Amino acid sequence: QTPLKKANALIAQMGMTFLNAYVPSALCCPSRASILTGKYPHNHHVVNNTLEGNCSSKLWQKIQEPYTFPALLKTMCGYQTFFAGKYLNEYGAEDAGGVGHVPPGWSFWYALEKNSKYYNYTLSVNGKARRHGENYSVDYLTDVLANMSLDFLEHKSNFEPFFMMISTPAPHSPWTAAPQYTKSFQNVSAPRNSNFNIHGKNKHWLIRQAKTPMTNSSIQFLDDAYRKRWQTLLSVDDLIENLVKKLELNGELDNTYIFYTSDNGFHTGQFSLPIDKRQLYEFDIKVPLLVRGPGIKPNQTNKMLVANIDLGPTILDIAGYDLNKTQMDGMSLLPLLKGDKNVTWRSDFLVEYQGEGYNGSDPTCPGLGPGVTHCFPDCVCEDSYNNTYACVRTLSTSWDLQYCEFDDREVFVEVYNLTADPHQINNIAKTIDQEILEKMNYRLMMLQSCSGATCRTPGVFDPGYRFDPRLMFSNHGVRARRFSVQSL
């Protein structure tokens, strides 16, 4: 069972499925900023979903927006560009220019004000506010985005290449399904993997604070959310089908690349965390990535380690733009998509997140003290001020490994061997070979200060990797810099 049968048939089976696609930060705003800029969060400086965290702030608009890949497509490659949907969580905030702000690089702009909604929202239509109510036939956001997209394909110029970014909030909360789908998947519940509803022993304190076993009401809540998420995706599936049909009708399908992905994963009950994202584990950082288009053979899978910072470089590469002229950290997927056998590829990438708690206490759970946030349901907190971590996620012929360090008093370390332990139950930081720990710590420091080409240097398990242990001690500057909160 899947809510995306059409997406699977029309994109995956007609092209390539990446089995190891990840986000460098499991949260909407930093992740979307990474897609747009092709950069890690430490280079685009969007660290969480708040204006203070640089989400759609004036600083982001000034320093990063002019250099996003859509801006380059439009100004340098002559593309007509179309955006519809959720842009960045704080887009439209008064302090950041309101909905009158249209980022450079978009010929057509239909952006949702603020965060995910399905009804009763405001769109910025090329900088003018348009209110929507709650009448399904004219206001249901997924369908509105679909109709705007079809409209663009109907009326665009045929003399210029085009790029469209359709960013549906679904399956984001509040999980409002279209009326015809509210009865779907009645028998579906969240997956019961071996890490479901168990205590996260040997994990950092935020995971350890979850209540195990979860209450029945928590389990009912997360199962219900899981079902509703699937229901909202049925409308996304319809949108994909309508777009593909329209491209076919226009005679453009065989000449168009279609990418399908998400900005983060999600957990529902793993390690007794009821529901959210922002954690470093596979269920939060791994995302789908399906691609079809010219030169891509049907029904393929690819196991290479890819990240959302690769999307911008890939699309610019397709457009014929010289990637050496960008400051992007990612790599073009085009050689992988075309089946190039001689391509050298990365064996690791960086995951980084800066906690979003605040100094006050969560009003719904006053007993918990300051610094924690998102403590719903049952006062199990999903984030905190010091939930700040960085990881190296490694996938090579010899190792499937994740190494993480926390910026907290414990300077907590988590290490997982995913070959032996795919559900990340056993933290092996205390038992793994010391030399591997030192190399991973050094590699983490390297990646956290990388920019552009230095983000693509050989990983610890690549034949070309060079490790000089003396650098571990002479290079305190890098280490100290690692968790310095960006002053925005």
Side-chain angles (χ1 to χ4, degrees):
Q1 257 190 318
T2 165
L4 291 165
K5 286 200 169 82
K6 297 166 184 175
N8 193 36
L10 295 170
I11 309 178
Q13 288 170 26
M14 301 306 289
M16 185 176 279
T17 300
F18 286 91
L19 300 175
N20 293 300
Y22 289 88
V23 294
S25 196
L27 191 60
C28 343
C29 209
S31 185
R32 286 160 186 268
S34 285
I35 292 172
L36 289 161
T37 59
K39 295 177 184 178
Y40 282 122
H42 69 266
N43 288 329
H44 61 57
H45 305 305
V46 178
V47 294
N48 54 40
N49 282 351
T50 61
L51 269 179
E52 299 71 44
N54 204 25
C55 180
S56 210
S57 69
K58 282 269 168 64
L59 193 71
W60 153 267
Q61 291 170 17
K62 189 170 121 197
I63 295 173
Q64 302 298 337
E65 271 186 350
Y67 306 102
T68 60
F69 81 86
L72 295 173
L73 277 181
K74 184 168 185 268
T75 54
M76 310 307 284
C77 309
Y79 272 64
Q80 44 193 329
T81 54
F82 168 93
F83 182 88
K86 176 177 168 179
Y87 178 58
L88 298 171
N89 300 49
E90 288 292 334
Y91 172 75
E94 284 303 307
D95 296 353
V99 293
H101 170 71
V102 177
W106 298 103
S107 330
F108 301 91
W109 177 254
Y110 303 99
L112 180 66
E113 179 192 33
K114 298 288 191 74
N115 204 351
S116 310
K117 283 184 173 180
Y118 296 78
Y119 292 112
N120 298 315
Y121 53 86
T122 297
L123 287 180
S124 169
V125 179
N126 299 317
K128 303 264 188 302
R130 182 195 289 168
R131 287 279 310 144
H132 276 264
E134 46 194 313
N135 175 349
Y136 169 70
S137 59
V138 290
D139 297 318
Y140 187 66
L141 184 61
T142 310
D143 296 354
V144 168
L145 300 180
N147 293 336
M148 286 170 164
S149 306
L150 296 171
D151 207 41
F152 167 74
L153 286 175
E154 181 70 32
H155 297 111
K156 69 179 172 54
S157 154
N158 289 331
F159 302 105
E160 297 169 315
F162 69 94
F163 168 75
M164 305 175 74
M165 188 168 187
I166 304 160
S167 183
T168 66
H172 199 290
S173 62
W175 315 306
T176 315
Q180 69 271 31
Y181 294 136
T182 52
K183 297 282 187 285
S184 306
F185 306 122
Q186 288 300 316
N187 56 348
V188 167
S189 52
R192 301 303 201 252
N193 291 332
S194 52
N195 56 8
F196 180 83
N197 200 10
I198 63 167
H199 182 61
K201 60 181 193 312
N202 303 326
K203 291 183 167 37
H204 67 106
W205 75 268
L206 192 61
I207 307 297
R208 297 195 306 264
Q209 57 88 36
K211 301 177 172 69
T212 310
M214 290 184 284
T215 62
N216 288 345
S217 59
S218 262
I219 292 175
Q220 200 177 341
F221 175 75
L222 66 87
D223 277 339
D224 193 40
Y226 192 85
R227 240 185 326 273
K228 285 178 174 163
R229 288 164 66 80
W230 272 30
Q231 291 167 1
T232 66
L233 284 172
L234 290 170
S235 295
V236 177
D237 213 30
D238 293 341
L239 176 154
I240 290 165
E241 180 185 44
N242 290 332
L243 271 179
V244 172
K245 276 184 179 163
K246 183 68 177 167
L247 287 167
E248 196 164 26
L249 199 65
N250 287 1
E252 294 175 320
L253 182 58
D254 294 339
N255 200 25
T256 303
Y257 286 90
I258 302 174
F259 293 76
Y260 176 89
T261 191
S262 174
D263 54 358
N264 48 252
F266 207 65
H267 55 256
T268 40
Q270 291 91 336
F271 305 127
S272 303
L273 295 168
I275 187 159
D276 197 50
K277 46 218 170 192
R278 321 164 198 266
Q279 307 301 341
L280 53 90
Y281 309 102
E282 292 285 285
F283 43 76
D284 284 1
I285 61 173
K286 202 167 188 176
V287 291
L289 177 58
L290 318 173
V291 192
R292 72 171 281 174
I296 305 176
K297 295 194 178 90
N299 230 340
Q300 293 190 84
T301 55
N302 186 298
K303 291 183 174 162
M304 294 296 191
L305 192 58
V306 302
N308 70 4
I309 53 174
D310 301 333
L311 295 169
T314 305
I315 292 163
L316 289 172
D317 197 10
I318 288 169
Y321 188 73
D322 178 1
L323 295 178
N324 294 325
K325 293 182 176 165
T326 73
Q327 298 296 306
M328 293 183 175
D329 304 331
M331 302 166 70
S332 170
L333 303 174
L334 201 51
L336 301 183
L337 293 168
K338 299 238 161 146
D340 184 345
K341 293 283 177 277
N342 298 326
V343 62
T344 51
W345 202 252
R346 70 162 73 85
S347 64
D348 65 14
F349 77 100
L350 175 70
V351 181
E352 49 188 353
Y353 177 62
Q354 196 168 301
E356 206 187 293
Y358 52 98
N359 287 336
S361 50
D362 192 314
T364 50
C365 306
L368 292 176
V372 292
T373 180
H374 298 83
C375 303
F376 177 84
D378 293 324
C379 290
V380 174
C381 303
E382 299 284 357
D383 202 7
S384 70
Y385 203 56
N386 67 352
N387 181 33
T388 295
Y389 58 80
C391 309
V392 182
R393 179 73 181 87
T394 293
L395 189 58
S396 66
T397 44
S398 49
W399 282 96
D400 188 352
L401 191 74
Q402 187 173 14
Y403 170 89
C404 301
E405 288 181 21
F406 279 81
D407 176 32
D408 56 16
R409 279 193 206 131
E410 296 179 281
V411 193
F412 201 77
V413 176
E414 293 187 32
V415 184
Y416 299 97
N417 173 358
L418 285 98
T419 311
D421 177 24
H423 294 126
Q424 296 169 297
I425 291 165
N426 302 309
N427 177 7
I428 56 169
K430 291 195 167 64
T431 54
I432 196 169
D433 181 28
Q434 191 60 31
E435 190 192 358
I436 290 183
L437 277 185
E438 284 177 13
K439 283 183 173 175
M440 294 304 272
N441 168 270
Y442 177 60
R443 180 66 180 153
L444 183 62
M445 293 193 299
M446 294 270 303
L447 283 173
Q448 282 191 288
S449 51
C450 79
S451 175
T454 55
C455 297
R456 305 189 286 271
T457 52
V460 169
F461 300 105
D462 285 351
Y465 180 74
R466 297 282 173 267
F467 173 61
D468 181 352
R470 287 169 310 185
L471 292 171
M472 307 260 314
F473 305 102
S474 61
N475 211 346
H476 278 308
V478 178
R479 179 134 201 176
R481 175 200 166 283
R482 179 172 15 157
F483 289 121
S484 63
V485 177
Q486 300 292 349
S487 50
L488 298 171

